Amino acid sequence: MRAAVLRSYGGPEAVAVQDVAEPDVGPGEVLIDVYFAGVVFPDLLMTKGAYQLKPPLPFIPGWEVAGVVRHDSGRFRAGDRVAAMPLVGGFAESVAVSEHRVFLLPRDFSLRDAAAVPLNYLTALFALRRRGRLAHGESVLVQGAGGGLGSACCQLAKAHGARVLAVVSSPEKAAIALKAGADEVLEARDFLAQARLATGGAGVDMVVDPVGGDRFADSLRSLGPEGRILVLGFTGRSIPEVKVNRLLLTNTAVVGVGWEEFAVADPSWVGRQWAELLPLLASGDIRPLIGQVLALEQAPAALELLDSRGAIGRVLVQVRSCG
């Protein structure tokens, strides 16, 4: 089968598409013929050896996929349309995935869209509901709202009755955030002043931050009393430090969001999360916003879009034709 393989750490340019053996299928695993694979930030970090998960080289990147089950396995049947989270191995024509991380799709939900759901929407749901305790009517400021995780947070926050303020760095990303349901779009260069104006000086109830970097201090300042900032990642490339006296002044909280760590501790919990997402997927209340779809042979270019911060919406790799 064809696959995009990383043989040495070196970023996107170290990935090459070649023929490899089909995956072995172990106990409790499901063999999936992949049609689309999502391209996510952990994929990029793994090509550089900069992520906490470091599979032995060589390996096939690819955190999330959508496709069709090849053989009956456990609760899945041949022909089932599924999304899945293999963590590695997704940039290939076939992948074996633990049954706990394979998810049935609603009948009318496309495989193309499904490939962009698992990591971002499960993370967003965990952040907003479990870690952030989002309540109906609260205000949520979303950093990086034009990206995959940010736009997922916008959609889910809106679906749960929040007022959404989206921080973006370009008009193209503003358009993505608005499509994702943002009530207002704020420019990254002076979002703090805009957030204060939008809230009448009261501040927001929650900040969702997958960016970090030099925005973090102003994200804290944008919170109202007893607000909380959710730390999801550091696409801004630097990890900020918190002056904790600021937390005392406004009774605010910095909350870590480690979806993968939580999922490892309780594998069955991921399926329960998916069951919570299913009605929103079926109703169309949440739908990933796809920016670019590249062929498997262009997997290095797909990763480079994330590395250069040139991605608008989600980037996918198409592995098979849908006919």
Side-chain angles (χ1 to χ4, degrees), residues 122-135 138-144 149-150 153 156-157 204-212 215-216 219-220 222-223 226-234 240 242 247 252-258:
L122 291 173
T123 299
L125 183 65
F126 177 60
L128 294 167
R129 301 290 287 165
R130 176 89 184 203
R131 302 295 291 140
R133 308 294 183 188
L134 178 66
E138 287 192 309
S139 55
V140 179
L141 184 148
V142 179
Q143 293 284 2
L149 181 53
C153 288
L156 277 171
V204 297
D205 298 300
M206 183 189 297
V207 173
V208 178
D209 186 10
V211 177
R215 295 189 195 180
F216 193 82
S219 288
L220 271 178
S222 71
L223 288 170
E226 298 188 83
R228 55 270 193 219
I229 181 168
L230 310 183
V231 179
L232 282 75
F234 312 104
V242 178
L247 309 182
T252 48
V254 178
V255 181
V257 179

Side-chain angles (χ1 to χ4, degrees), residues 6 8-12 14-15 42-50 59 61 303:
L6 182 78
S8 62
Y9 295 125
V15 175
D43 294 326
L44 172 63
L45 293 178
M46 288 169 70
T47 67
K48 300 180 178 185
F59 70 89
L303 289 159

Side-chain angles (χ1 to χ4, degrees), residues 161-183:
R163 178 190 180 194
V164 179
L165 309 180
V167 179
V168 297
S169 58
S170 71
E172 294 80 9
K173 292 183 178 182
I176 290 288
L178 289 170
K179 287 180 181 178
D183 295 288

Side-chain angles (χ1 to χ4, degrees), residues 32 44 66 99 108 119 133 139 156-157 176 209 212 224 241 263 296 304:
I32 298 170
L44 172 63
E99 184 179 349
D108 297 325
L119 178 61
R133 308 294 183 188
S139 55
L156 277 171
I176 290 288
D209 186 10
E241 297 181 357
L296 178 62
E304 178 59 35

